[in-house]
Amino acid sequence: MLNIITDADLKAGHITKDNQQNTWHFKADNVTDFAFGISNHYVWQSSSLVVDVENQRRTRVDAVYNPHDTTYRPVIDYARKTVQAISYQFPKIPYPYSHETIFDGPDEMEFPMMVDNNPFERKKDAIQLTAHEIFHTIFPFYVGTNETKYSFMDEGWATMAEFYLHPMIDPSIPVDYDMTDINTSSGIEQDVPVMTLTPQLAGGARFMDKDQKPALAYFYVKEMLGDELFLKALRVYINSWKGKHPTPYDFFNCINTTSGKNLDWFWQNWFFEKGVPDLAISKVILKNKICSLVVSNVGTEAVPVHLTVYFADGSKQYLNSSAACWMNGAKTKAFSFSTSKRLKEITLGTAYDADINKQNNYWKAP
């Protein structure tokens, strides 16, 4: 990391040429928008990394911020690691642009090769915001989705990037994603299907329907397909539609075709219907060292099943099923396992499982 403009440079005042007028020229290819920032009291840090191993192409990453915003100092590292994660982990495509600048501004807004991010006190929030806004490079800029009409086509992916890229940027911080919006807004009067045009979204369900619900839907598809097939399908979608303008139907069809899986039932459930996520542990039977349990889908949305079984000796066991278990209209999912250990309790759900009623997600041994 290099310091281009430091506090000392600001105090000395020797930053630009001492001319009556200086002119800056901006040039960029294949971009859909333009933004720039100006300050007479910001510091400037810069870094770069190889984003394409085949041709050794590099992307430059800059952070420009108020030196009094001390929480902004590590943002250059978060930004660099986000660009790295996009290039090599998710979605695993070479970062498409030559620059990415993080500017300390009053808002949280993305532009091609630049994001305007306000500072956050908590490290976790700063990481998630950085990942979210930089991921917008892919959607809606590299792939020209219509963010005015179908904002879930870019906001959903950027929101998924918040919690999916987080451990890639800093694995030391536990990911505790806030599911409050979807768990409290699902099913309310203002909740509408995700496919509803963005200008028609309003109230408490607006963020959920354009950001959080599509993010979780993409995440659940990843679990159903598996990482390898999911990334393959996503890359085909990105490479097929870069510089073009796909509709939601193009996305659905591309994932179906590339994966070889007919996910129409899932797209219908999560994008075209007003669904309510609510799973429950409805039955637990212990007999002859066999534990049989049933999870019921008392809601209307296909949510994955993640059970954690806790034993009295402190050990635990996981029982999982992707959202595909509800594909054919089933309302229950049965599990069974043998054990000689004494059960303590069973919990249902993870940090990424939407559920409007957590009260029925717990069973305690008598």
Side-chain angles (χ1 to χ4, degrees):
M1 192 271 292
L2 297 175
N3 291 305
I4 307 298
I5 296 177
T6 65
D7 280 325
D9 296 322
L10 292 171
K11 292 175 182 177
H14 302 305
I15 297 173
T16 58
K17 291 183 178 180
D18 192 16
N19 300 327
Q20 277 192 325
Q21 178 176 304
N22 289 308
T23 303
W24 280 261
H25 298 272
F26 299 93
K27 180 181 178 181
D29 297 321
N30 301 319
V31 296
T32 57
D33 203 349
F34 174 75
F36 66 95
I38 297 176
S39 172
N40 63 356
H41 61 281
Y42 274 20
V43 295
W44 179 2
Q45 296 174 320
S46 186
S47 179
S48 74
L49 70 154
V50 173
V51 295
D52 191 336
V53 293
E54 289 190 7
N55 57 22
Q56 292 298 297
R57 180 173 63 83
R58 303 183 73 90
T59 288
R60 174 171 166 169
V61 182
D62 295 324
V64 184
Y65 60 94
N66 188 330
H68 296 297
D69 290 334
T70 56
T71 56
Y72 228 91
R73 291 174 184 169
V75 168
I76 182 72
D77 182 56
Y78 307 155
R80 187 182 189 279
K81 288 179 178 177
T82 299
V83 171
Q84 184 178 45
I86 290 172
S87 301
Y88 297 106
Q89 293 172 279
F90 177 76
K92 205 173 180 180
I93 63 167
Y95 200 75
Y97 296 115
S98 59
H99 290 74
E100 183 62 56
T101 300
I102 315 298
F103 190 83
D104 181 358
D107 203 355
E108 302 166 9
M109 183 52 62
E110 68 278 359
F111 305 92
M113 297 187 286
M114 182 175 180
V115 298
D116 178 20
N117 282 358
N118 51 301
F120 274 97
E121 289 294 328
R122 294 198 307 171
K123 186 177 182 180
K124 183 189 80 168
D125 295 332
I127 289 174
Q128 290 184 348
L129 176 62
T130 302
H132 180 111
E133 300 302 343
I134 292 180
F135 203 85
H136 273 300
T137 296
I138 310 301
F139 308 103
F141 301 130
Y142 190 53
V143 177
T145 58
N146 189 332
E147 59 181 329
T148 302
K149 191 174 184 179
Y150 298 114
S151 60
F152 73 86
M153 294 186 73
D154 65 285
E155 292 295 347
W157 289 111
T159 301
M160 178 180 167
E162 288 182 27
F163 55 80
Y164 193 56
L165 297 188
H166 188 153
M168 302 176 192
I169 298 169
D170 190 340
S172 69
I173 302 178
V175 180
D176 182 20
Y177 193 68
D178 187 358
M179 301 284 283
T180 302
D181 283 280
I182 192 168
N183 289 340
T184 58
S185 298
S186 291
I188 67 173
E189 184 178 5
Q190 294 166 328
D191 180 17
V192 293
V194 172
M195 281 291 291
T196 304
L197 299 184
T198 301
Q200 298 174 8
L201 302 178
R206 178 179 170 83
F207 169 76
M208 176 192 69
D209 286 326
K210 74 180 184 67
D211 290 63
Q212 198 168 54
K213 188 171 278 191
L216 292 172
Y218 302 147
F219 195 62
Y220 298 160
V221 169
K222 183 182 80 71
E223 183 178 11
M224 283 193 288
L225 297 181
D227 288 355
E228 184 177 351
L229 185 56
F230 175 76
L231 285 174
K232 175 186 175 182
L234 180 56
R235 285 195 296 270
V236 168
Y237 169 58
I238 292 171
N239 289 323
S240 297
W241 288 97
K242 61 185 179 184
K244 302 174 184 177
H245 304 288
T247 68
Y249 303 96
D250 295 315
F251 166 69
F252 300 146
N253 289 332
C254 189
I255 299 300
N256 282 4
T257 301
T258 307
S259 68
K261 307 289 185 181
N262 187 346
L263 298 176
D264 286 352
W265 67 274
F266 185 84
W267 308 132
Q268 175 70 29
N269 183 238
W270 270 86
F271 291 85
F272 292 86
E273 297 173 356
K274 178 179 175 178
V276 176
D278 187 10
L279 302 184
I281 300 175
S282 55
K283 184 184 296 184
V284 178
I285 299 175
L286 297 170
K287 186 176 181 180
N288 298 327
K289 297 184 179 181
I290 300 293
C291 177
S292 301
L293 60 105
V294 175
V295 173
S296 297
N297 190 343
V298 296
T300 58
E301 217 149 41
V303 182
V305 181
H306 299 119
L307 292 158
T308 305
V309 181
Y310 296 89
F311 297 98
D313 64 0
S315 61
K316 53 189 175 182
Q317 179 178 343
Y318 301 100
L319 303 171
N320 301 314
S321 178
S322 75
C325 65
W326 314 115
M327 178 172 56
N328 295 318
K331 296 299 290 183
T332 60
K333 173 63 179 176
F335 296 86
S336 66
F337 62 94
S338 60
T339 181
S340 58
K341 300 178 182 180
R342 185 164 60 90
L343 266 65
K344 180 182 178 182
E345 60 188 18
I346 301 174
T347 61
L348 172 64
T350 69
Y352 308 123
D353 293 341
D355 200 309
I356 64 168
N357 180 15
K358 298 288 188 179
Q359 300 302 313
N360 53 19
N361 292 4
Y362 178 77
W363 176 87
K364 186 175 182 179

